[in-house]
Amino acid sequence: MNEVLWRPAPERLAQANMTGFLHRVQETASLTGEGYAALYEWSIREPECFWPAVWDFCDIKASRRWDRVLENGDRMLGAQWFRGSRLNFAENLLCYRDDRPALVFVGEDGRRTRRSYRQLYHEVARLARGLSKAGIGPGDRVAAFLPNIPEAVIGMLATASLGAVWSSCSPDFGVKGVVARFGQITPKVLLVADAYLYQGRAHPCLSRLRKVVDQLPGLQQLVLVPFLADEAELPVFPNSVTYPEVLGADDSPNLSFEQLPFDHPLYILYSSGTTGKPKCIVHGAGGTLIQHLKELVLHTDLKRDDRIFYFTTCGWMMWNWLVSSLAVGATVLLYDGSPLYPRPQRLFDLAEQEGVTVFGASARYLTALEKAAVKPRFSHKLAALRTILSTGSPLLAASFDYVYRYISPSVQLSSISGGTDIISCFALGNSMLPVRRGELQCRGLGMRVEVFDENGGTLNQQKGELVCTQPFPSMPVGFWNDPDQTRYRHAYFEKFPGVWAQGDYAEITEHGGMIIYGRSDAVLNPGGVRIGTAEIYHQVERLPEVLESLAVGQAWEGDERVILFVRLRQGRELDDPLINRIKTAIRENTTPRHVPAKIIQVADIPRTRNNKIAELAARCIVHHQPVNNVEALSNPEALKLFKDLPGLDED
């Protein structure tokens, strides 16, 4: 049994949004049993009662309610939610128009700006007017190549208010990476910043812009957003205007919200693209809204007085998730730059200064803090901090220990897991439940999440494929330019026909929580035994010499053997004593099958731009196969370190 590290205090439990929702459901629905387990079972047993209950509890704004909650609910492909309803995503995020802070931006260089809800509404109205004059209307695409700055949020809200479709990527992408994404969706308007900051250096964006624009047919207007430069310093491009020019007069234009069907496209997000051209995943306005509110209000326990932060770029779904916090009326903190510059404590400086109550980052970030011996509990005043969120990769069990020992013994640590594919989570936190070491607290309400064996049989307390066997509102509307849904079906429904296969290797625990063991397409298979890569990382990265690691399965003599690559602290070399310590740690805490056949030191580990380890790309290099889209990597040069390594072709 995994150790309990945190339990909600009675006062917190009584005041939790999830508790309030449970009580309301008990009064109005046929809920039998007590506590979250009963609520979860009801939510998947009666989805046509559950999702309207979420709609009402979270006070979703709509000009017309639904005629029918769910059509074709007996199949995942073809299910349609809240038929007949009409709403606007931006209207729900701009329902507060007072002087409370809506957005607080802090840059790597220390600059700070603040916009109240009243100011946010006003600026969105002005930008929507400018976009409308540029011909933007329902279904048109507006793309953004921006840092994580307020103008990105404002651009999204203005786009959504008009019923247009928003798509963004982070400014560290090269020309090929931008074109591989935006070139597929033919945006009418492109927003671009002059530059961004990272690790104390300014990185210009406009030098790449002309090559990008030449490959975007149908682009009608460029909007240049001054970030490091003044407006007057921006160069002139064909059909370009500056952001202040698009805003126009500083008056009070009327902001009308286009009322649209529940499944009207809102966002286009992209798969990482490390194995080929990125998939353009289209998400609907209503499904995104109701799923995000369920997760923010119920599972994250977000309230109006909260100040929520997540370290993300505009190219990761966590940006979209974070911004939906505006619908709750909370204060959203945006940060752009390196999370570890000019010192590893940088984000906790921000948390202290801004009174952050909900703090989110990647699992890799928490591991990096631990390796850097950062101890915010003793260096920062974090009395306001209530919840820490972690995602992006499985959170090491040792990282749970680190958080409670060196950040705060009283926070709720919520490891969450979902994906760009669903713009939300399958498993996540819950302030009604305890936090157990190494576990995600629960499956999300309304998500019939199961674990299957290779033949589609249901597993409990055993490792297998994470699947979802029942439709949910935030399933993609589809893929862009995939009219017969062939690519959509191939991506999620071919492995187990009619069932969503997420591609994660997971286990449902005896407590009803979950453990994620890594991507199932990266699962190791020595001697026919399936091993999640996270099982190895959990042991290896506890050693102080190891900064990070990457495991791949190498085809060898008709079988597969495990190769482990390690990046060590500066000045350390991989010698026989350290190799033996690594193997011993793996053997004693897992099984002999987990012990790698070879351990090889490398200077760097390839990562995606969302800071996930690129296991499949490394595996391609090990097998002398091409990596189809190196633009998807933040450090593609690291792949060269894996090529023709001594020992890979030896016993």
Side-chain angles (χ1 to χ4, degrees):
M1 178 181 292
N2 286 349
E3 177 188 357
V4 172
L5 301 175
W6 176 89
R7 291 186 187 276
E11 181 181 9
R12 179 163 180 179
L13 180 61
Q15 295 176 354
N17 290 332
M18 186 75 82
T19 302
F21 181 71
L22 173 61
H23 290 163
R24 181 179 294 188
V25 168
Q26 287 173 328
E27 294 172 358
T28 59
S30 56
L31 179 64
T32 57
E34 295 291 331
Y36 184 76
L39 183 61
Y40 173 76
E41 289 300 323
W42 171 77
S43 75
I44 60 174
R45 185 177 67 249
E46 299 188 37
E48 292 182 68
C49 295
F50 165 70
W51 288 105
V54 173
W55 181 302
D56 291 335
F57 189 82
C58 296
D59 195 22
I60 288 177
K61 309 292 186 294
S63 60
R64 187 180 190 278
R65 286 171 74 87
W66 56 89
D67 299 319
R68 186 171 179 184
V69 175
L70 178 60
E71 287 185 359
N72 304 322
D74 57 338
R75 61 181 191 264
M76 296 198 77
L77 271 172
Q80 295 181 309
W81 293 91
F82 295 101
R83 297 285 285 170
S85 65
R86 309 285 289 191
L87 54 77
N88 185 278
F89 183 84
E91 183 176 15
N92 280 272
L93 271 63
L94 293 170
C95 58
Y96 295 95
R97 297 166 197 176
D98 54 22
D99 291 325
R100 286 201 185 197
L103 299 177
V104 174
F105 168 74
V106 178
E108 186 185 89
D109 57 356
R111 73 177 73 184
R112 182 184 187 276
T113 62
R114 174 188 180 278
R115 284 171 173 83
S116 69
Y117 272 92
R118 190 186 313 279
Q119 291 168 327
L120 177 62
Y121 178 87
H122 178 64
E123 193 165 338
V124 170
R126 294 171 63 199
L127 183 58
R129 177 182 60 188
L131 291 176
S132 181
K133 287 180 180 179
I136 297 298
D140 292 328
R141 276 77 62 208
V142 175
F145 186 46
L146 293 173
N148 185 21
I149 54 178
E151 288 81 0
V153 179
I154 293 160
M156 180 277 289
L157 291 169
T159 299
S161 74
L162 299 170
V165 185
W166 175 263
S167 189
S168 58
C169 71
S170 59
D172 56 345
F173 275 97
V175 172
K176 289 182 180 179
V178 178
V179 173
R181 287 156 176 77
F182 296 161
Q184 297 186 65
I185 67 169
T186 57
K188 274 190 176 181
V189 172
L190 176 65
L191 285 78
V192 185
D194 60 285
Y196 67 97
L197 280 174
Y198 198 82
Q199 291 187 338
R201 290 181 53 227
H203 300 264
C205 298
L206 300 183
S207 58
R208 286 166 282 163
L209 184 56
R210 200 173 302 277
K211 293 179 181 178
V212 169
V213 169
D214 289 343
Q215 300 178 70
L216 295 181
L219 187 66
Q220 297 178 11
Q221 188 174 79
L222 277 175
V223 179
L224 303 179
V225 180
F227 180 48
L228 298 183
D230 292 330
E231 180 186 354
E233 299 172 341
L234 295 177
V236 176
F237 289 86
N239 301 318
S240 68
V241 293
T242 65
Y243 180 79
E245 288 173 335
V246 175
L247 290 180
D250 188 7
D251 51 10
S252 300
N254 179 51
L255 179 55
S256 59
F257 298 100
E258 191 78 25
Q259 298 298 301
L260 299 157
F262 186 84
D263 59 357
H264 182 79
L266 168 71
Y267 289 135
I268 298 176
L269 276 63
Y270 305 93
S271 64
S272 62
T274 52
T275 57
K277 204 170 187 179
K279 298 188 290 286
C280 303
I281 306 169
V282 184
H283 286 291
T288 300
L289 178 66
I290 196 169
Q291 182 78 303
H292 282 184
L293 285 176
K294 181 203 77 177
E295 295 183 349
L296 289 162
V297 173
L298 300 181
H299 285 278
T300 311
D301 199 30
L302 195 69
K303 299 181 173 72
R304 182 98 214 260
D305 291 334
D306 278 312
R307 298 172 72 84
I308 183 171
F309 166 78
Y310 215 106
F311 179 73
T312 181
T313 70
C314 295
W316 190 19
M317 60 142 285
M318 293 311 300
W319 180 85
N320 308 78
W321 190 89
L322 171 68
V323 171
S324 289
S325 303
L326 294 170
V328 183
T331 299
V332 174
L333 283 104
L334 308 173
Y335 177 82
D336 195 75
S338 168
L340 303 172
Y341 181 88
R343 62 188 197 136
Q345 299 92 328
R346 180 67 183 96
L347 296 186
F348 281 96
D349 295 342
L350 173 71
E352 179 181 30
Q353 292 160 5
E354 300 296 338
V356 170
T357 58
V358 180
F359 178 99
S362 69
R364 288 280 156 191
Y365 168 75
L366 293 175
T367 300
L369 287 185
E370 182 180 8
K371 294 292 182 181
V374 175
K375 302 176 181 179
R377 178 181 176 184
F378 305 112
S379 58
H380 292 71
K381 296 177 181 178
L382 301 173
L385 186 60
R386 187 182 78 244
T387 302
I388 292 178
L389 306 173
S390 169
T391 193
S393 60
L395 186 63
L396 304 178
S399 293
F400 280 74
D401 299 334
Y402 166 74
V403 166
Y404 283 101
R405 187 174 298 132
Y406 294 119
I407 297 181
S408 171
S410 60
V411 295
Q412 177 188 353
L413 174 58
S414 295
S415 179
I416 63 179
S417 180
T420 298
D421 325 77
I422 65 168
I423 204 168
S424 57
C425 302
F426 285 115
L428 65 173
N430 187 337
S431 55
M432 292 181 68
L433 299 177
V435 172
R436 297 180 185 274
R437 186 176 186 266
E439 289 189 20
L440 288 73
Q441 286 179 280
C442 64
R443 290 169 285 179
L445 290 173
M447 311 293 280
R448 189 182 283 273
V449 175
E450 300 180 43
V451 172
F452 277 8
D453 63 21
E454 293 180 348
N455 300 314
T458 302
L459 299 172
N460 195 29
Q461 299 179 47
Q462 297 180 66
K463 302 166 192 171
E465 294 275 352
L466 188 156
V467 300
C468 193
T469 60
Q470 188 170 283
F472 50 93
S474 66
M475 292 171 60
V477 173
F479 288 177
W480 192 255
N481 288 331
D482 183 30
D484 61 359
Q485 295 195 313
T486 298
R487 287 184 291 151
Y488 181 29
R489 186 180 296 105
H490 173 72
Y492 307 112
F493 299 104
E494 282 195 352
K495 189 160 195 172
F496 306 106
V499 171
W500 179 289
Q502 176 62 13
D504 284 336
Y505 195 49
E507 175 185 353
I508 298 174
T509 71
E510 61 182 307
H511 322 289
M514 293 203 76
I515 300 173
I516 306 294
Y517 293 103
R519 293 290 300 168
S520 58
D521 52 11
V523 163
L524 311 171
N525 198 24
V529 177
R530 287 165 62 82
I531 296 170
T533 53
E535 298 176 74
I536 294 176
Y537 303 152
H538 283 191
Q539 308 309 323
V540 176
E541 295 178 15
R542 296 174 66 183
L543 300 175
E545 297 91 341
V546 180
L547 291 176
E548 58 183 348
S549 57
L550 183 153
V552 301
Q554 182 191 28
W556 191 257
E557 296 180 351
D559 195 0
E560 182 175 285
R561 66 178 184 176
V562 178
I563 307 296
L564 179 67
F565 300 96
V566 293
R567 183 168 76 91
L568 304 181
R569 287 186 180 278
Q570 188 173 1
R572 293 306 306 258
E573 294 294 331
L574 185 68
D575 52 20
D576 288 341
L578 181 53
I579 289 174
N580 290 333
R581 287 179 59 214
I582 292 172
K583 289 185 173 181
T584 298
I586 295 171
R587 182 181 294 107
E588 290 182 350
N589 292 287
T590 55
T591 74
R593 285 284 189 187
H594 289 69
V595 177
K598 286 187 174 290
I599 303 176
I600 299 172
Q601 181 176 358
V602 289
D604 200 5
I605 299 286
R607 289 176 294 277
T608 69
R609 294 184 183 274
N610 292 338
N611 207 32
K612 299 178 182 179
I613 288 179
E615 294 164 320
L616 295 183
R619 191 180 191 280
C620 287
I621 297 297
V622 166
H623 288 92
H624 310 289
Q625 297 169 350
V627 178
N628 291 325
N629 190 3
V630 295
E631 281 285 329
L633 302 177
S634 62
N635 57 338
E637 66 280 357
L639 290 178
K640 298 177 183 178
L641 304 173
F642 290 73
K643 190 174 182 180
D644 300 324
L645 282 169
L648 279 181
D649 296 323
E650 303 171 0
D651 288 328

